[in-house]
Amino acid sequence: MDSSQGNAARSATAVVIVAAGSGQRLGHGIPKARVPPAGQPILAHALRGVIAANVAAQIYVCVPVGDSQLREICAAEEQLNDGHPVVIHTVHGGASRAESVANALRALEPSIERVLIHDAARPLVPVEVFTRVCQALDGGAPAVIPVISVVDTIKSVEPVLLGGAEAYRVTGTPARDTLRAVQTPQGFSLHALREAHSAVPAQDDITDDAMLMERAGVDVYVVPGSEYSHKITSASDLLLAEAWLEGPLAPRWVEG
Ligand code: CTP
Ligand code: MG
C-alpha cells in the first residue's frame, strides 16, 4: 500500500490472530501455536504472513493466559517486522474461540474501523488473500470471507436408530456448486461486527463471526482463498505444512 488512502486504511485496520487454543487434536501437549513446522512456531509463521501482507498497523494476538513463550514470539516478530513497522498487542484468550475474539474486540484502540479475524492455525495464508479481503472492504463490503470450492460431495445427516443402535441417515445432498469451504482472515467493518455481537445472542452453533453477521442480516461477501490457507488441525495437516514450507513455500522461509 503506497497511496495515502492505503496508509489511512492501514492505520484504521487491525488484524486479530486467535492463538489461544490448546491443540488437543494435534496432540503435542503444548499450545498448537507453539508447535514448529520447519523449525519456527506456527504463530511466528502466521505473524510473518500478516506482517508481509502490510494491511494493518496493529495486530492483536490472543494467547492462553500465562503463556509467556507466545508473548515472546510476538515481541520477536514485532522487532523483525520485515520492513513494515507494526505494533503487536497480546490479549488473554477465552475458553472458546468466540470468547478469544470477543476479548480482542474489547481491546482494540478507538482508531480502529475495520478488523481482520485470523486463525493462527492457518499460518501460510498468501499475501494476496489478505489483499483481496481488504479490497472488498475498501469497496464497501461490511463482511468478507475467503473461500475455496468444495471437492468432496457433502451430505447432510440426521441421527436415527438402526437395529436399536445409534446411526446416521442421509437427509440430503446440497448442490456442490452452491457450497464453499471457508477460511480466514475474515474481514469486517468493526461497527457492523459490534452491532451484530450485541444484536445476536451468543449461541454454541455460531462457529465464526461471518455466521454471526449472517444471523444479524448483514451481507457477507466472498473472495478467493487459497489451498495454502489450509488449517492445521491434526498430524497430517502439520506434515502438509512442512512439505509446503520445504517445497513451494520455501522462499517464504526466513531464518531467525
Ligand atoms: N482458539 C482460541 N481460543 C480458544 C480456542 C481456539 O484462540 N479458546 C484459536 C486457536 O488457537 C486456533 C483457532 O482458534 O488458531 C482455531 O481453533 P482450532 O483449530 O480448533 O485450534 P485449537 O482449539 O487449539 O485445537 P483443538 O480444537 O484441537 O484443541
Ligand atoms: Mg478448537
Side-chain angles (χ1 to χ4, degrees), residues 74-91:
C74 291
E77 296 303 321
E78 189 183 65
Q79 288 298 310
L80 274 178
N81 81 34
D82 193 29
H84 302 306
V86 68
V87 178
I88 303 180
H89 310 261
T90 53
V91 180

Side-chain angles (χ1 to χ4, degrees), residues 45-65:
H45 287 293
L47 280 166
R48 286 175 194 191
V50 172
I51 291 169
N54 198 26
V55 294
Q58 303 199 53
I59 303 174
Y60 292 76
V61 183
C62 300
V63 299
V65 175

